[in-house]
Amino acid sequence: MGGRRAAVAGMFGTAVLAELAAIVLSWRLEPAYDTLLYVLFNLAAVGAGAVIAWRRPENTIGWLFLGFGLLNTLASDLAHGWGLRAAAEGWPGGPVGEAVSAVSWLPSGYGWMLTFLLFPTGRLPGRRWRVVPWIGAAGLLISMTAWTLSPDRGRDFVSGRNPIAVASLPTGLLLGIGIPLFLGSLVAAVASLAVRFRRSEGLERQQMKWFVLAAAVAGVALPTSFVLWYVSPAASVIAAVALTGLPLAASAAILRYRLYDIDFFISRTVAYAGLTVLLVAAYAVVTVALGTFLGSGSAWTVAVATLVCAVLFRPLRTRIQDVVDRRFNRSRYDALQRMTAFLDDVRSGRRPPEDVQAVLGEILGDPGLELLVFLPESRRYVDLAGADRDDADTDARRRIAVARGDQPVGVVLYDGTSPLGPELVRRVVEQGGLAVEIARLRAELNVQLVEVTASRARIVAATEAERRRIERDLHDGAQQRLVSIGLALRHAQHQLGDSPVRATLEGAVAEATVAIGELRELARGLPPSQLDAGLGPACQELARRAPVAVSVRMPERRFDRGVEAAAYFICCEGLTNAVKYAAASRVELIADHDREHLVVRVVDDGIGGAAPRGGTGLTGLADRVAALGGTFHVDSRPGAGTTLVAELPCGS
């Protein structure tokens, strides 16, 4: 393994150094774009080969790219640069460099022929294809000999003459034999690629799509550049750009990098090409039609034609993309159509929006997919049933965030093995965003209803417990005393016999019985007696009984008895907690009347760290405040004291 990687590094480093030397030699002696584009192509081939050979050393394609990429670097770019510089500076060996450079396209073509035969596995598609490389090799040797020694290749040399030409050699005949053999083997290799593509399926088919697309582009570009080679400088640019795509596509396919994006890329390419043709045609038709009336040079003609194209752009793009997806990217078309059909069902009420999780799971092929929605008030994620998901941020599965503008709506967690590819998965999730938003709102409502129900239940339970406690205290205390008094009076009655006092005692016993009944009635809802004089005096009484310094600031006006009772209990609970748990040395009881609210604050300088938890006094306070339609907040950072804030609706 170490030797292989050393060979890869050595070949790649040699290619880079050779290209740097080629740039220096060729600079300013030919168009800069010609130099740089072929440097880019050769480095792309060598780089792709190096990456493949490094990560997949068993695949012949990597070593093939490294080999003919390095050969091109030395025989094409470096030799070409030497030939140009030697002719300009009078260096020796210039014609040899030019001759080597002129014939280098043939070995490069043979390398691509082998690539077509071996892609993507590095092995031939079958035994019957073994003859193709041998035919290509024969054609290569014959063609190279004839091309190198032909007197007709004077245009490849700065001097305009091939100095190593052999006039007596039948180079035309040799080319007539060698080129057909060479091109025939190349066509056969392309045919093998087509055969392998038709037979492929699954992962290999996705690999083939990448390379076939690049090969199709090169198949159109290379013959075009060959025809224009001695006619237009653009020919070399076309060839370089087309060839650069081949090693990059092969590398992406073999290393399986974003394989499933190819369907999206093909469909978008075809769609926008078709859209461009139609818009150009529309522009031409409108221009010609209006030009007959307004004149061909009229600004109105250009403006109207441009406006027509702008109006047609969006509907045409949607329609063409739909047609192209149906033909070239069926998986994308089917996925988006299924989501569209589901959204139609949601709008018509045939399906609940919560089914978006199941639909996404079916489309992505992941039955374990989960949709978590974000609750903005509590800043937490819950599932569609409203249950907390504290592990949402640590879940190892892939995630796609759903948002409306800058506001998070939810997150989709899936296993990442969907055959649709990341881009299409994101597109499907985004298309289902409406259903996700509705599901989030419903989940939020469900959570609030659950919280309200639980809050009301706790209030009822607390009220009942408090009533029973007071009733028990009265029964065990004042009622028992009254019963004892009644029994004592009965005993005295019996002792006095027929005394006139007997009737008086009978009345006293009756009054004691009435008092016991009244105590029982009072036990059902006893308000704090301290509030009889108002909230301020009641809180002052609390401050006087407290073992710490307490300052009180309360409004003088009176409020509804329920509001005053809630405010009083907040002050009681806050003061008790400050003394009992917070080790506070000072407490402030503050109430301010703010328009339609009574804002109550209990501030202490204790150790902090308080938080409402199930069954605590703070939870009871929150429930009591919520029952009045108010809000309750606890600010209690460790070491910074505690502040309880309650806003109670109290009218104007």
Side-chain angles (χ1 to χ4, degrees):
M1 180 64 73
R4 288 179 180 177
R5 293 194 168 182
V8 170
M11 295 173 73
F12 181 74
T14 302
V16 172
L17 293 176
E19 288 295 353
L20 291 175
I23 292 174
V24 173
L25 291 171
S26 302
W27 199 249
R28 297 185 181 278
L29 298 179
E30 65 177 353
Y33 66 84
D34 206 355
T35 300
L36 297 178
L37 281 175
Y38 280 93
V39 167
L40 177 64
F41 159 63
N42 286 325
L43 288 181
V46 175
V51 173
I52 297 172
W54 190 278
R55 298 182 60 181
R56 301 279 193 277
E58 73 284 356
N59 194 313
T60 312
I61 301 292
W63 300 103
L64 189 60
F65 280 172
L66 269 173
F68 77 75
L70 182 58
L71 178 63
N72 279 344
T73 298
L74 299 173
S76 178
D77 291 353
L78 186 60
H80 178 67
W82 181 267
L84 291 177
R85 184 60 61 180
E89 304 291 342
W91 294 354
V96 175
E98 292 176 304
V100 171
S101 175
V103 80
S104 63
W105 66 275
L106 285 165
S108 178
Y110 187 74
W112 285 115
M113 184 270 293
L114 292 177
T115 302
F116 294 153
L117 278 173
L118 300 175
F119 185 84
T121 62
R123 298 183 297 274
L124 291 171
R127 297 181 63 181
R128 62 179 179 175
W129 298 97
R130 291 180 179 178
V131 68
V132 175
W134 294 106
I135 294 175
L140 172 66
L141 293 175
I142 296 172
S143 300
M144 284 185 65
T145 301
W147 192 275
T148 304
L149 304 177
S150 173
D152 298 330
R153 301 275 68 81
R155 288 173 293 184
D156 296 329
F157 296 85
V158 174
S159 64
R161 184 181 62 86
N162 183 359
I164 58 175
V166 179
S168 60
L169 190 69
T171 54
L173 177 62
L174 292 176
L175 285 174
I177 297 173
I179 292 296
L181 290 175
F182 181 77
L183 293 180
S185 65
L186 187 60
V187 170
V190 173
S192 75
L193 192 67
V195 169
R196 178 172 265 167
F197 177 72
R198 291 187 60 185
R199 294 176 179 175
S200 64
E201 57 184 16
L203 182 65
E204 184 175 320
R205 188 169 186 83
Q206 293 301 118
Q207 291 177 306
M208 295 295 294
K209 283 181 181 180
W210 271 108
F211 194 65
V212 167
L213 175 64
V217 173
V220 174
L222 292 180
T224 303
S225 67
F226 185 79
V227 172
L228 300 176
W229 194 263
Y230 294 110
V231 178
S232 171
S236 60
V237 176
I238 295 173
V241 173
L243 289 173
T244 302
L246 283 168
L248 297 179
S251 177
I254 292 173
L255 299 177
R256 303 177 185 179
Y257 175 72
R258 301 185 70 170
L259 277 183
Y260 295 96
D261 288 351
I262 183 60
D263 294 325
F264 173 79
F265 183 77
I266 292 174
S267 67
R268 284 299 174 91
T269 301
V270 175
Y272 278 101
L275 179 63
T276 301
V277 171
L278 290 178
L279 289 178
V280 170
Y283 186 89
V285 169
V286 173
T287 301
V288 172
L290 291 179
T292 59
F293 298 100
L294 303 176
S296 59
S298 173
W300 284 102
T301 300
V302 177
V304 173
T306 303
L307 179 61
V308 169
C309 291
V311 172
L312 291 176
F313 177 81
R314 187 176 184 83
L316 270 179
R317 183 178 70 87
T318 302
R319 180 59 181 166
I320 292 174
Q321 188 68 65
D322 185 65
V323 173
V324 170
D325 285 344
R326 195 177 305 182
R327 175 63 183 87
F328 293 97
N329 193 1
R330 190 72 191 187
S331 60
R332 180 180 187 275
Y333 175 80
D334 290 341
L336 296 179
Q337 285 299 310
R338 290 179 66 182
M339 182 55 71
T340 299
F342 168 69
L343 292 177
D344 290 340
D345 289 342
V346 171
R347 293 187 185 99
S348 61
R350 292 190 295 269
R351 297 188 68 176
E354 289 79 6
D355 282 357
V356 66
Q357 176 173 286
V359 172
L360 286 172
E362 294 171 3
I363 295 175
L364 272 59
D366 179 11
L369 177 144
E370 279 191 281
L371 170 63
L372 306 181
V373 293
F374 182 75
L375 304 183
E377 289 189 3
S378 57
R379 311 293 297 177
R380 59 193 171 101
Y381 284 96
V382 300
D383 60 21
L384 296 180
D388 280 336
R389 283 297 303 271
D390 296 332
D391 61 338
D393 293 331
T394 59
D395 197 298
R397 288 176 293 178
R398 290 193 180 183
R399 54 198 297 122
I400 297 179
V402 184
R404 284 285 179 269
D406 296 333
Q407 298 300 320
V409 174
V411 62
V412 174
L413 304 175
Y414 71 109
D415 58 15
T417 61
S418 173
L420 300 183
E423 294 299 329
L424 182 53
V425 168
R426 181 173 296 279
R427 179 74 179 85
V428 171
V429 172
E430 289 175 351
Q431 188 177 13
L434 175 63
V436 176
E437 173 68 12
I438 298 174
R440 184 194 70 80
L441 294 174
R442 288 165 59 116
E444 185 175 18
L445 180 61
N446 289 337
V447 169
Q448 291 177 349
L449 289 175
V450 169
E451 290 178 351
V452 168
T453 302
S455 174
R456 297 299 185 266
R458 289 194 298 268
I459 290 174
V460 171
T463 302
E464 181 65 16
E466 184 69 10
R467 186 189 67 78
R468 289 182 180 277
R469 185 188 67 78
I470 295 174
E471 186 176 17
R472 184 176 60 252
D473 290 346
L474 291 175
H475 178 271
D476 295 339
Q479 289 185 46
Q480 290 299 325
R481 292 190 182 91
L482 288 174
V483 170
S484 297
I485 292 172
L487 291 174
L489 290 174
R490 287 292 186 189
H491 181 68
Q493 234 181 350
H494 289 299
Q495 288 181 331
L496 291 173
D498 295 332
S499 172
V501 182
R502 183 182 179 88
T504 303
L505 293 176
E506 184 68 31
V509 171
E511 289 295 328
T513 302
V514 171
I516 292 172
E518 290 178 348
L519 285 176
R520 288 173 178 168
E521 290 296 326
L522 286 173
R524 297 181 182 179
L526 189 66
S529 59
Q530 295 93 332
L531 289 174
D532 291 343
L535 182 60
C539 289
Q540 292 289 354
E541 178 63 21
L542 281 177
R544 282 192 294 272
R545 297 201 307 263
V548 298
V550 179
S551 62
V552 179
R553 191 180 74 217
M554 297 286 164
E556 295 181 358
R557 60 164 293 182
R558 299 299 302 271
F559 300 95
D560 180 85
R561 192 59 179 260
V563 173
E564 288 188 340
Y568 176 80
F569 285 124
I570 291 168
C571 293
C572 287
E573 186 66 26
L575 181 57
T576 299
N577 288 343
V579 173
K580 192 173 182 180
Y581 303 111
S585 61
R586 181 171 182 80
V587 181
E588 297 179 47
L589 306 180
I590 304 169
D592 295 308
H593 181 222
D594 179 22
R595 296 184 180 179
E596 297 182 357
H597 292 85
L598 179 65
V599 182
V600 181
R601 294 182 179 85
V602 179
V603 183
D604 68 57
D605 60 355
I607 60 176
R613 298 182 183 88
T616 65
L618 293 180
T619 302
L621 290 182
D623 292 342
R624 184 183 292 272
V625 172
L628 294 174
T631 59
F632 182 73
H633 175 67
V634 179
D635 183 7
S636 184
R637 290 172 294 175
T642 299
T643 300
L644 310 182
V645 181
E647 292 187 13
L648 304 170
C650 62
S652 58

